[in-house]
Amino acid sequence: MSGRAGVPAGVRGSGRLAKALLVAFALAALGELVSVAADSRTGQLLAKPLLMPLLAAYAAARGGPRTLVAALLFGWGGDVFLLSSADGAFLAGMGCFAAGHLCYLALFARRRTRRALALAAGYGLLLALTLVPLWPDLPAELRVPVAVYSLLLAAMAYRASGLGVLAGAGGAFFLVSDTLIATGVAEWPRPPAVDLWIMLTYLAAQALLTAGVLRAARRPGPGHE
């Protein structure tokens, strides 16, 4: 049955569901940021596990690629592991995020990156300027995993620009967020309220990557599964 103005009722319903899920994600994100700012462990335990499932559900309701939903759910796994202080939790979380980056790279695989050479050189230089001085200060058991993850993250950030400004900005924010985490692992001096900046840039990254992929998916073209 068609709804008002010739719009099928099912389409209107999925649109309302998507909006509701986006609002729920925004509220959970606000709750997480307030909890981080207030250093409320309880608030973070309640809010953080909701973030990526809500964003993934929003992407699915918008008809987004399954690979995008998978990337966000891997991000949820990383979020949950990083809430734990158990042995191996950090590596497990990094592994989940690495799997998410592989999903993003699969989405970006057939998209041409503008100014490819200059952008690749810029990300390569940034990676070298970050990883080389960090290396001796990282725990020995984390050096190789962090280096491999950093290469994967930089590749994702570079390729994200092929989907446009939104996804490109999302990739850059992800790089900033994880670089701030790495400086903490190396026990470098960090700016005030660094945990808030980590979460703010991470949320911006995932939201912008999602928006960029969904926008690109509405345009005919290769690269979406």
Side-chain angles (χ1 to χ4, degrees), residues 1-2 43-44 60-61 74 78 83 92 95 114 126 135 138-139 152 160 162 171 186 188 191 202 204 211:
M1 179 184 292
S2 296
Q44 293 174 61
F74 278 122
L83 281 171
R114 295 180 181 180
L126 182 61
W135 182 268
L138 291 170
L152 184 58
W188 280 15
Y202 169 67

Side-chain angles (χ1 to χ4, degrees), residues 1-42:
M1 179 184 292
S2 296
R4 293 187 298 275
V7 179
V11 173
R12 291 205 323 274
S14 63
R16 286 194 295 267
L17 174 61
K19 288 179 181 178
L21 288 167
L22 186 59
V23 169
F25 167 73
L27 291 174
L30 179 59
E32 170 66 9
L33 292 172
V34 169
S35 298
V36 172
D39 196 22
S40 170
R41 176 72 174 168
T42 300

Side-chain angles (χ1 to χ4, degrees), residues 36-151:
V36 172
D39 196 22
S40 170
R41 176 72 174 168
T42 300
Q44 293 174 61
L45 287 172
L46 290 173
K48 195 173 186 181
L50 297 176
L51 294 168
M52 292 306 108
L54 287 170
L55 191 57
Y58 164 74
R62 287 284 309 276
R66 286 174 292 179
T67 313
L68 171 61
V69 175
L72 294 170
L73 291 179
F74 278 122
W76 169 74
D79 289 344
V80 171
F81 276 119
L82 292 186
L83 281 171
S84 172
S85 57
D87 292 343
F90 182 81
L91 280 173
M94 189 163 56
C96 286
F97 284 120
H101 295 325
L102 288 172
C103 290
Y104 281 127
L105 283 169
L107 284 168
F108 307 151
R110 298 182 185 179
R111 293 284 175 168
R112 181 175 297 175
T113 303
R114 295 180 181 180
R115 302 182 183 88
L117 184 59
L119 194 60
Y123 273 120
L125 180 61
L126 182 61
L127 180 63
L129 290 175
T130 303
L131 193 57
V132 170
L134 272 176
W135 182 268
D137 295 327
L138 291 170
E141 69 274 12
L142 291 181
R143 287 173 182 169
V144 172
V146 167
V148 172
Y149 177 83
S150 298
L151 286 168

Side-chain angles (χ1 to χ4, degrees), residues 65 67 106-107 110-111 163 212-214 216-219 221-225:
T67 313
L107 284 168
R110 298 182 185 179
R111 293 284 175 168
L163 258 67
V213 171
L214 291 176
R218 293 199 297 269
R219 301 193 299 264
H224 299 286
E225 298 177 0

